[in-house]
Amino acid sequence: MPELPEVETIKNELSPYILGRTVTGVDLPWEGIVRQPSASEFRSRLIGQKITKISRRGKYLILNLSSSEFLIIHLKMSGALLFGNEASEPPKYTRATFRLDDGTIIFFRDPRKFGVLRLVEDKNSIVGELGPEPLEANFTHEVLAQRLHKRTAPIKALLSDQKVIAGVGNMYADEALFASKIHPLRAGGSLTKDEIKRLHQAIIEVLKSGIGNKGASIENYIRPDGTLGTAHTQFKVAHRRGETCPRCGTPLERIAVRHRGTYFCPKCQRER
DNA sequence: CCCGGAACCTGAAGGC
DNA sequence: TGCCTTCAGGTTCCGG
C-alpha cells in the first residue's frame, strides 16, 4: 500500500511522461473516485490544462495546472498510476483515464475504490494540516519530541497519524519502531529523549531505504511502468508473519493497534 | 484538543 | 467444490 516512498517513486517515474503535457481527455469509468468538484465539472475544468509541476506532500500527489488549480491524487490502499498509449488496454479496475496531448495515457487503477481525485484552487485546503515532511531538514528530533509531547496514544498510532508526521503508514511505522527498539504500544509521550532521537533517525533511514528500493510491493503497489518495487525484501518485521527476528531470532509477534496489523520483536522492543 | 472505533470498499484467504 | 466469514488499511467522521 502506498506510503511516502511509494508515492515518491510514482512521482519520480511519472514526471517525465506528464510534465509540460496538456490534458486532452478524461474518462471516469467509476465517477465515485472524484471527491470534488462534481465529476462533470472535474472533467471540463481539467481538459485543456497543462501540467506545470508535480510534487508530493505526505502521501498526496500534487499536480500544478496552468489554470493555477491543483489536481490532488491520493492512492489510499490499492491505487496505482500506470502509463500507456492509445494502443493500451485499460487495466482491470481502471477508475479514471487521463489522455495527454502526445498520446500518453495515464490509468488510475484501484481495485478497492478507496482512491481519491480532487481538483482544487487552494492546495492547503487538503494538505495544509499535515505534519512535517520527515525527509526535510526542518524535521529534527526536537520537532518530533514536541509533536509527541504529552500524547497518551500508542506510538504506533501516532506515527501513522498524518497530522503528527506526514507520509508514514503502517509498514514503515513498524520498521522504524523495530530499528529504534521501541514497543509499538508505548505511549507517545512516555518516550525518553534518547528513544526519540533513535526513532527520528530510524524514520529517516527506513523511508530513504524504501525510496532507494523504489517502494514496497505489498498488496497492490506497482510502479507506473508496471514493474514492482523491492523495499519489502528489506523489511525486518513488517508483514513478516510467522518469521523470526533478524537480530535475535525470537519469533515475531503480530498484534492489532487501532485495528492495524502491527509486527514487532517482543525481545528487542520491550514494553518499558 | 485528544483518543478510539466505525465506515468506506472488494479481492484474497481461511473455515466448515 | 462452494458458500460464508474475516481480513487488509488510509482517511474521515463521530461520540465520549
Short mmCIF file of all heavy atoms in Angstrom, two decimals, chain A residues 110-165:
data_model
loop_
_atom_site.label_atom_id
_atom_site.label_comp_id
_atom_site.label_asym_id
_atom_site.label_seq_id
_atom_site.Cartn_x
_atom_site.Cartn_y
_atom_site.Cartn_z
N ASP A 110 -7.56 0.98 -9.35
CA ASP A 110 -7.80 0.95 -7.91
C ASP A 110 -8.87 -0.08 -7.55
O ASP A 110 -10.05 0.26 -7.44
CB ASP A 110 -8.22 2.35 -7.44
CG ASP A 110 -8.36 2.43 -5.94
OD1 ASP A 110 -7.78 1.58 -5.23
OD2 ASP A 110 -9.06 3.35 -5.46
N PRO A 111 -8.47 -1.32 -7.31
CA PRO A 111 -9.45 -2.38 -7.05
C PRO A 111 -10.42 -2.05 -5.92
O PRO A 111 -11.61 -2.33 -6.01
CB PRO A 111 -8.58 -3.58 -6.69
CG PRO A 111 -7.26 -3.32 -7.32
CD PRO A 111 -7.09 -1.83 -7.33
N ARG A 112 -9.93 -1.46 -4.83
CA ARG A 112 -10.80 -1.27 -3.67
C ARG A 112 -11.54 0.06 -3.63
O ARG A 112 -12.23 0.36 -2.65
CB ARG A 112 -9.98 -1.45 -2.39
CG ARG A 112 -9.60 -2.89 -2.22
CD ARG A 112 -8.96 -3.17 -0.90
NE ARG A 112 -8.30 -4.46 -0.99
CZ ARG A 112 -7.50 -4.96 -0.07
NH1 ARG A 112 -7.26 -4.27 1.02
NH2 ARG A 112 -6.95 -6.12 -0.22
N LYS A 113 -11.35 0.88 -4.66
CA LYS A 113 -12.13 2.12 -4.77
C LYS A 113 -11.96 3.08 -3.58
O LYS A 113 -12.88 3.80 -3.23
CB LYS A 113 -13.63 1.80 -4.92
CG LYS A 113 -13.98 1.11 -6.23
CD LYS A 113 -15.49 0.93 -6.29
CE LYS A 113 -15.94 0.50 -7.67
NZ LYS A 113 -17.39 0.24 -7.71
N PHE A 114 -10.80 3.03 -2.94
CA PHE A 114 -10.55 3.98 -1.86
C PHE A 114 -9.92 5.27 -2.38
O PHE A 114 -9.95 6.29 -1.71
CB PHE A 114 -9.59 3.37 -0.82
CG PHE A 114 -10.25 2.56 0.24
CD1 PHE A 114 -11.16 1.57 -0.08
CD2 PHE A 114 -9.98 2.79 1.57
CE1 PHE A 114 -11.77 0.83 0.90
CE2 PHE A 114 -10.60 2.06 2.57
CZ PHE A 114 -11.50 1.06 2.23
N GLY A 115 -9.29 5.19 -3.54
CA GLY A 115 -8.53 6.32 -4.08
C GLY A 115 -9.40 7.54 -4.29
O GLY A 115 -10.62 7.44 -4.41
N VAL A 116 -8.76 8.71 -4.31
CA VAL A 116 -9.50 9.97 -4.38
C VAL A 116 -8.81 10.93 -5.36
O VAL A 116 -7.59 11.08 -5.36
CB VAL A 116 -9.57 10.64 -2.99
CG1 VAL A 116 -10.16 12.04 -3.11
CG2 VAL A 116 -10.39 9.80 -2.03
N LEU A 117 -9.62 11.58 -6.20
CA LEU A 117 -9.15 12.66 -7.07
C LEU A 117 -9.84 13.95 -6.65
O LEU A 117 -11.05 13.95 -6.40
CB LEU A 117 -9.50 12.36 -8.54
CG LEU A 117 -8.81 11.18 -9.21
CD1 LEU A 117 -9.44 10.93 -10.57
CD2 LEU A 117 -7.32 11.47 -9.35
N ARG A 118 -9.06 15.02 -6.58
CA ARG A 118 -9.66 16.31 -6.26
C ARG A 118 -9.06 17.37 -7.18
O ARG A 118 -7.88 17.32 -7.51
CB ARG A 118 -9.35 16.74 -4.82
CG ARG A 118 -10.03 15.96 -3.74
CD ARG A 118 -9.64 16.59 -2.41
NE ARG A 118 -10.36 16.03 -1.27
CZ ARG A 118 -9.88 15.04 -0.52
NH1 ARG A 118 -8.72 14.49 -0.79
NH2 ARG A 118 -10.57 14.60 0.52
N LEU A 119 -9.89 18.34 -7.57
CA LEU A 119 -9.43 19.50 -8.32
C LEU A 119 -9.76 20.71 -7.46
O LEU A 119 -10.93 20.97 -7.18
CB LEU A 119 -10.16 19.56 -9.66
CG LEU A 119 -9.65 20.54 -10.70
CD1 LEU A 119 -8.20 20.29 -11.05
CD2 LEU A 119 -10.51 20.44 -11.96
N VAL A 120 -8.71 21.38 -6.98
CA VAL A 120 -8.94 22.47 -6.01
C VAL A 120 -8.16 23.73 -6.39
O VAL A 120 -7.14 23.66 -7.09
CB VAL A 120 -8.53 22.04 -4.58
CG1 VAL A 120 -9.38 20.87 -4.10
CG2 VAL A 120 -7.05 21.69 -4.52
N GLU A 121 -8.64 24.86 -5.91
CA GLU A 121 -7.93 26.11 -6.13
C GLU A 121 -6.85 26.32 -5.08
O GLU A 121 -5.81 26.91 -5.34
CB GLU A 121 -8.91 27.29 -6.11
CG GLU A 121 -9.89 27.26 -7.29
CD GLU A 121 -10.92 28.38 -7.24
OE1 GLU A 121 -10.70 29.36 -6.48
OE2 GLU A 121 -11.94 28.26 -7.93
N ASP A 122 -7.14 25.83 -3.87
CA ASP A 122 -6.21 26.04 -2.75
C ASP A 122 -5.73 24.68 -2.26
O ASP A 122 -6.47 23.94 -1.61
CB ASP A 122 -6.93 26.79 -1.62
CG ASP A 122 -6.07 26.92 -0.37
OD1 ASP A 122 -4.84 26.70 -0.48
OD2 ASP A 122 -6.63 27.21 0.70
N LYS A 123 -4.47 24.33 -2.54
CA LYS A 123 -4.00 23.00 -2.16
C LYS A 123 -3.92 22.85 -0.64
O LYS A 123 -4.04 21.75 -0.12
CB LYS A 123 -2.64 22.70 -2.80
CG LYS A 123 -1.50 23.56 -2.34
CD LYS A 123 -0.19 23.11 -2.99
CE LYS A 123 0.93 24.06 -2.58
NZ LYS A 123 2.21 23.70 -3.20
N ASN A 124 -3.76 23.96 0.05
CA ASN A 124 -3.68 23.87 1.51
C ASN A 124 -5.00 23.45 2.15
O ASN A 124 -5.01 23.03 3.30
CB ASN A 124 -3.20 25.19 2.11
CG ASN A 124 -1.69 25.34 1.95
OD1 ASN A 124 -0.96 24.34 1.94
ND2 ASN A 124 -1.24 26.57 1.80
N SER A 125 -6.09 23.55 1.39
CA SER A 125 -7.36 23.06 1.93
C SER A 125 -7.29 21.55 2.11
O SER A 125 -8.05 20.97 2.88
CB SER A 125 -8.51 23.42 0.98
OG SER A 125 -8.37 22.75 -0.26
N ILE A 126 -6.36 20.88 1.42
CA ILE A 126 -6.21 19.42 1.53
C ILE A 126 -4.97 19.04 2.33
O ILE A 126 -5.02 18.20 3.21
CB ILE A 126 -6.11 18.77 0.13
CG1 ILE A 126 -7.30 19.22 -0.74
CG2 ILE A 126 -6.04 17.25 0.24
CD1 ILE A 126 -8.65 18.90 -0.16
N VAL A 127 -3.83 19.65 2.02
CA VAL A 127 -2.57 19.22 2.65
C VAL A 127 -2.08 20.19 3.74
O VAL A 127 -1.02 19.98 4.31
CB VAL A 127 -1.46 19.02 1.60
CG1 VAL A 127 -1.87 17.97 0.59
CG2 VAL A 127 -1.12 20.34 0.91
N GLY A 128 -2.88 21.21 4.04
CA GLY A 128 -2.44 22.23 4.97
C GLY A 128 -2.27 21.77 6.41
O GLY A 128 -1.49 22.34 7.16
N GLU A 129 -3.00 20.71 6.79
CA GLU A 129 -2.96 20.27 8.19
C GLU A 129 -1.95 19.15 8.43
O GLU A 129 -1.84 18.65 9.55
CB GLU A 129 -4.35 19.76 8.61
CG GLU A 129 -5.46 20.78 8.45
CD GLU A 129 -5.34 21.94 9.44
OE1 GLU A 129 -5.35 21.68 10.66
OE2 GLU A 129 -5.22 23.09 8.99
N LEU A 130 -1.24 18.74 7.40
CA LEU A 130 -0.31 17.63 7.55
C LEU A 130 0.87 18.01 8.44
O LEU A 130 1.29 19.17 8.48
CB LEU A 130 0.21 17.18 6.19
CG LEU A 130 -0.80 16.55 5.25
CD1 LEU A 130 -0.16 16.25 3.91
CD2 LEU A 130 -1.39 15.28 5.85
N GLY A 131 1.41 17.01 9.11
CA GLY A 131 2.61 17.21 9.92
C GLY A 131 3.82 17.42 9.04
O GLY A 131 3.72 17.48 7.81
N PRO A 132 5.01 17.54 9.65
CA PRO A 132 6.23 17.82 8.90
C PRO A 132 6.60 16.69 7.93
O PRO A 132 6.25 15.53 8.15
CB PRO A 132 7.29 17.96 10.00
CG PRO A 132 6.73 17.29 11.20
CD PRO A 132 5.25 17.45 11.10
N GLU A 133 7.30 17.08 6.87
CA GLU A 133 7.85 16.11 5.91
C GLU A 133 9.10 15.49 6.54
O GLU A 133 10.09 16.19 6.79
CB GLU A 133 8.25 16.83 4.61
CG GLU A 133 7.15 17.02 3.62
CD GLU A 133 6.59 15.71 3.09
OE1 GLU A 133 7.37 14.79 2.81
OE2 GLU A 133 5.37 15.61 2.97
N PRO A 134 9.10 14.17 6.77
CA PRO A 134 10.19 13.56 7.52
C PRO A 134 11.55 13.61 6.82
O PRO A 134 12.56 13.45 7.49
CB PRO A 134 9.72 12.11 7.71
CG PRO A 134 8.60 11.91 6.75
CD PRO A 134 7.99 13.24 6.50
N LEU A 135 11.59 13.84 5.52
CA LEU A 135 12.88 13.86 4.84
C LEU A 135 13.37 15.28 4.58
O LEU A 135 14.36 15.48 3.87
CB LEU A 135 12.83 13.06 3.53
CG LEU A 135 12.56 11.56 3.72
CD1 LEU A 135 12.60 10.82 2.40
CD2 LEU A 135 13.55 10.95 4.72
N GLU A 136 12.68 16.26 5.15
CA GLU A 136 13.17 17.63 5.00
C GLU A 136 13.96 18.04 6.24
O GLU A 136 13.77 17.51 7.33
CB GLU A 136 12.00 18.58 4.72
CG GLU A 136 11.51 18.38 3.30
CD GLU A 136 10.43 19.35 2.88
OE1 GLU A 136 10.10 20.27 3.66
OE2 GLU A 136 9.92 19.18 1.77
N ALA A 137 14.84 19.00 6.03
CA ALA A 137 15.80 19.37 7.08
C ALA A 137 15.12 19.89 8.34
O ALA A 137 15.65 19.77 9.44
CB ALA A 137 16.77 20.42 6.54
N ASN A 138 13.93 20.45 8.20
CA ASN A 138 13.28 21.00 9.38
C ASN A 138 12.63 19.94 10.26
O ASN A 138 12.09 20.24 11.32
CB ASN A 138 12.25 22.07 8.98
CG ASN A 138 11.17 21.53 8.07
OD1 ASN A 138 11.08 20.32 7.85
ND2 ASN A 138 10.35 22.40 7.54
N PHE A 139 12.68 18.66 9.82
CA PHE A 139 12.21 17.57 10.69
C PHE A 139 13.37 17.13 11.58
O PHE A 139 14.16 16.27 11.22
CB PHE A 139 11.68 16.39 9.86
CG PHE A 139 11.23 15.22 10.70
CD1 PHE A 139 10.17 15.34 11.58
CD2 PHE A 139 11.88 14.00 10.61
CE1 PHE A 139 9.76 14.26 12.36
CE2 PHE A 139 11.47 12.91 11.38
CZ PHE A 139 10.42 13.04 12.26
N THR A 140 13.47 17.75 12.73
CA THR A 140 14.55 17.43 13.67
C THR A 140 14.00 16.56 14.80
O THR A 140 12.78 16.42 14.93
CB THR A 140 15.09 18.73 14.29
OG1 THR A 140 14.02 19.37 14.99
CG2 THR A 140 15.63 19.67 13.21
N HIS A 141 14.88 16.00 15.60
CA HIS A 141 14.38 15.20 16.72
C HIS A 141 13.65 16.07 17.74
O HIS A 141 12.75 15.60 18.43
CB HIS A 141 15.50 14.37 17.36
CG HIS A 141 16.58 15.15 18.03
ND1 HIS A 141 16.48 15.57 19.33
CD2 HIS A 141 17.78 15.58 17.58
CE1 HIS A 141 17.58 16.22 19.66
NE2 HIS A 141 18.39 16.25 18.61
N GLU A 142 14.01 17.36 17.79
CA GLU A 142 13.27 18.26 18.68
C GLU A 142 11.83 18.44 18.21
O GLU A 142 10.90 18.48 19.03
CB GLU A 142 13.96 19.65 18.74
CG GLU A 142 15.28 19.67 19.48
CD GLU A 142 16.48 19.47 18.57
OE1 GLU A 142 16.28 19.05 17.41
OE2 GLU A 142 17.62 19.72 19.01
N VAL A 143 11.66 18.54 16.90
CA VAL A 143 10.31 18.67 16.35
C VAL A 143 9.50 17.41 16.66
O VAL A 143 8.33 17.48 17.07
CB VAL A 143 10.36 18.92 14.83
CG1 VAL A 143 8.99 18.72 14.20
CG2 VAL A 143 10.87 20.33 14.56
N LEU A 144 10.12 16.26 16.50
CA LEU A 144 9.42 15.00 16.80
C LEU A 144 9.03 14.97 18.28
O LEU A 144 7.89 14.60 18.63
CB LEU A 144 10.30 13.81 16.44
CG LEU A 144 9.69 12.43 16.71
CD1 LEU A 144 8.39 12.22 15.93
CD2 LEU A 144 10.69 11.32 16.37
N ALA A 145 9.95 15.35 19.14
CA ALA A 145 9.68 15.35 20.59
C ALA A 145 8.49 16.26 20.92
O ALA A 145 7.61 15.90 21.69
CB ALA A 145 10.93 15.81 21.35
N GLN A 146 8.47 17.41 20.29
CA GLN A 146 7.40 18.36 20.55
C GLN A 146 6.04 17.81 20.09
O GLN A 146 5.02 17.98 20.75
CB GLN A 146 7.73 19.68 19.83
CG GLN A 146 6.65 20.73 19.86
CD GLN A 146 6.08 20.99 18.47
OE1 GLN A 146 6.82 21.03 17.49
NE2 GLN A 146 4.77 21.13 18.38
N ARG A 147 6.05 17.05 18.98
CA ARG A 147 4.79 16.53 18.47
C ARG A 147 4.29 15.33 19.26
O ARG A 147 3.11 14.98 19.20
CB ARG A 147 4.93 16.18 16.98
CG ARG A 147 5.36 17.38 16.15
CD ARG A 147 5.15 17.17 14.68
NE ARG A 147 3.77 17.38 14.26
CZ ARG A 147 3.23 18.55 13.97
NH1 ARG A 147 3.92 19.65 14.09
NH2 ARG A 147 1.99 18.64 13.58
N LEU A 148 5.20 14.67 20.00
CA LEU A 148 4.79 13.53 20.82
C LEU A 148 4.51 13.93 22.27
O LEU A 148 3.97 13.14 23.04
CB LEU A 148 5.88 12.45 20.80
CG LEU A 148 6.21 11.84 19.44
CD1 LEU A 148 7.32 10.80 19.56
CD2 LEU A 148 4.98 11.22 18.79
N HIS A 149 4.87 15.16 22.60
CA HIS A 149 4.78 15.62 23.99
C HIS A 149 3.38 15.44 24.56
O HIS A 149 2.39 15.89 23.97
CB HIS A 149 5.19 17.10 24.04
CG HIS A 149 5.28 17.65 25.43
ND1 HIS A 149 6.11 17.13 26.39
CD2 HIS A 149 4.63 18.69 26.02
CE1 HIS A 149 5.98 17.81 27.51
NE2 HIS A 149 5.08 18.77 27.32
N LYS A 150 3.32 14.76 25.69
CA LYS A 150 2.07 14.56 26.45
C LYS A 150 1.02 13.73 25.73
O LYS A 150 -0.12 13.63 26.19
CB LYS A 150 1.46 15.90 26.88
CG LYS A 150 2.34 16.62 27.90
CD LYS A 150 1.55 17.63 28.70
CE LYS A 150 2.38 18.13 29.88
NZ LYS A 150 1.80 19.31 30.52
N ARG A 151 1.39 13.10 24.62
CA ARG A 151 0.41 12.26 23.93
C ARG A 151 0.35 10.91 24.62
O ARG A 151 1.38 10.33 24.96
CB ARG A 151 0.78 12.09 22.45
CG ARG A 151 0.86 13.40 21.67
CD ARG A 151 -0.48 14.07 21.48
NE ARG A 151 -1.42 13.29 20.71
CZ ARG A 151 -1.64 13.48 19.39
NH1 ARG A 151 -0.97 14.39 18.73
NH2 ARG A 151 -2.54 12.74 18.77
N THR A 152 -0.86 10.41 24.82
CA THR A 152 -1.02 9.12 25.51
C THR A 152 -1.32 7.97 24.56
O THR A 152 -1.30 6.81 24.96
CB THR A 152 -2.17 9.21 26.54
OG1 THR A 152 -3.38 9.56 25.83
CG2 THR A 152 -1.88 10.24 27.59
N ALA A 153 -1.61 8.26 23.30
CA ALA A 153 -1.90 7.20 22.33
C ALA A 153 -0.64 6.39 22.07
O ALA A 153 0.48 6.87 22.26
CB ALA A 153 -2.41 7.82 21.04
N PRO A 154 -0.80 5.12 21.62
CA PRO A 154 0.36 4.28 21.30
C PRO A 154 1.22 4.95 20.23
O PRO A 154 0.69 5.53 19.28
CB PRO A 154 -0.25 2.99 20.77
CG PRO A 154 -1.68 3.00 21.20
CD PRO A 154 -2.07 4.43 21.38
N ILE A 155 2.54 4.82 20.39
CA ILE A 155 3.46 5.45 19.43
C ILE A 155 3.19 4.97 18.00
O ILE A 155 3.29 5.73 17.04
CB ILE A 155 4.94 5.22 19.83
CG1 ILE A 155 5.88 5.96 18.91
CG2 ILE A 155 5.28 3.74 19.90
CD1 ILE A 155 5.75 7.46 18.91
N LYS A 156 2.80 3.69 17.86
CA LYS A 156 2.48 3.18 16.53
C LYS A 156 1.34 3.97 15.89
O LYS A 156 1.41 4.33 14.70
CB LYS A 156 2.09 1.69 16.62
CG LYS A 156 1.44 1.09 15.40
CD LYS A 156 2.38 0.98 14.22
CE LYS A 156 1.65 0.54 12.95
NZ LYS A 156 1.41 -0.89 12.87
N ALA A 157 0.31 4.27 16.68
CA ALA A 157 -0.82 5.03 16.15
C ALA A 157 -0.39 6.46 15.81
O ALA A 157 -0.83 7.02 14.80
CB ALA A 157 -1.96 5.04 17.16
N LEU A 158 0.46 7.05 16.62
CA LEU A 158 0.88 8.43 16.38
C LEU A 158 1.77 8.53 15.13
O LEU A 158 1.67 9.49 14.37
CB LEU A 158 1.62 8.98 17.60
CG LEU A 158 0.73 9.13 18.85
CD1 LEU A 158 1.57 9.53 20.05
CD2 LEU A 158 -0.37 10.15 18.61
N LEU A 159 2.63 7.51 14.92
CA LEU A 159 3.48 7.54 13.73
C LEU A 159 2.65 7.45 12.45
O LEU A 159 3.04 7.98 11.41
CB LEU A 159 4.49 6.38 13.76
CG LEU A 159 5.67 6.50 14.70
CD1 LEU A 159 6.59 5.30 14.54
CD2 LEU A 159 6.44 7.79 14.44
N SER A 160 1.53 6.75 12.53
CA SER A 160 0.67 6.61 11.35
C SER A 160 -0.31 7.77 11.21
O SER A 160 -1.07 7.81 10.25
CB SER A 160 -0.14 5.31 11.44
OG SER A 160 0.65 4.26 11.93
N ASP A 161 -0.30 8.70 12.17
CA ASP A 161 -1.19 9.85 12.13
C ASP A 161 -0.56 10.94 11.28
O ASP A 161 0.49 11.48 11.63
CB ASP A 161 -1.42 10.34 13.57
CG ASP A 161 -2.39 11.52 13.64
OD1 ASP A 161 -2.61 12.18 12.59
OD2 ASP A 161 -2.91 11.80 14.71
N GLN A 162 -1.21 11.28 10.17
CA GLN A 162 -0.62 12.22 9.20
C GLN A 162 -0.46 13.63 9.75
O GLN A 162 0.30 14.42 9.21
CB GLN A 162 -1.46 12.24 7.92
CG GLN A 162 -1.57 10.88 7.26
CD GLN A 162 -0.22 10.28 6.95
OE1 GLN A 162 0.51 10.78 6.09
NE2 GLN A 162 0.17 9.22 7.66
N LYS A 163 -1.19 13.92 10.84
CA LYS A 163 -1.04 15.26 11.44
C LYS A 163 0.19 15.31 12.35
O LYS A 163 0.66 16.38 12.69
CB LYS A 163 -2.31 15.62 12.23
CG LYS A 163 -3.51 15.83 11.30
CD LYS A 163 -4.67 16.53 11.99
CE LYS A 163 -5.46 15.60 12.89
NZ LYS A 163 -6.10 14.49 12.16
N VAL A 164 0.70 14.15 12.75
CA VAL A 164 1.91 14.10 13.57
C VAL A 164 3.15 14.11 12.66
O VAL A 164 4.06 14.92 12.85
CB VAL A 164 1.91 12.84 14.47
CG1 VAL A 164 3.23 12.74 15.24
CG2 VAL A 164 0.74 12.91 15.45
N ILE A 165 3.19 13.20 11.71
CA ILE A 165 4.25 13.16 10.68
C ILE A 165 3.58 12.79 9.37
O ILE A 165 2.78 11.86 9.33
CB ILE A 165 5.31 12.08 10.94
CG1 ILE A 165 5.82 12.13 12.37
CG2 ILE A 165 6.49 12.24 9.98
CD1 ILE A 165 6.73 10.98 12.67
#
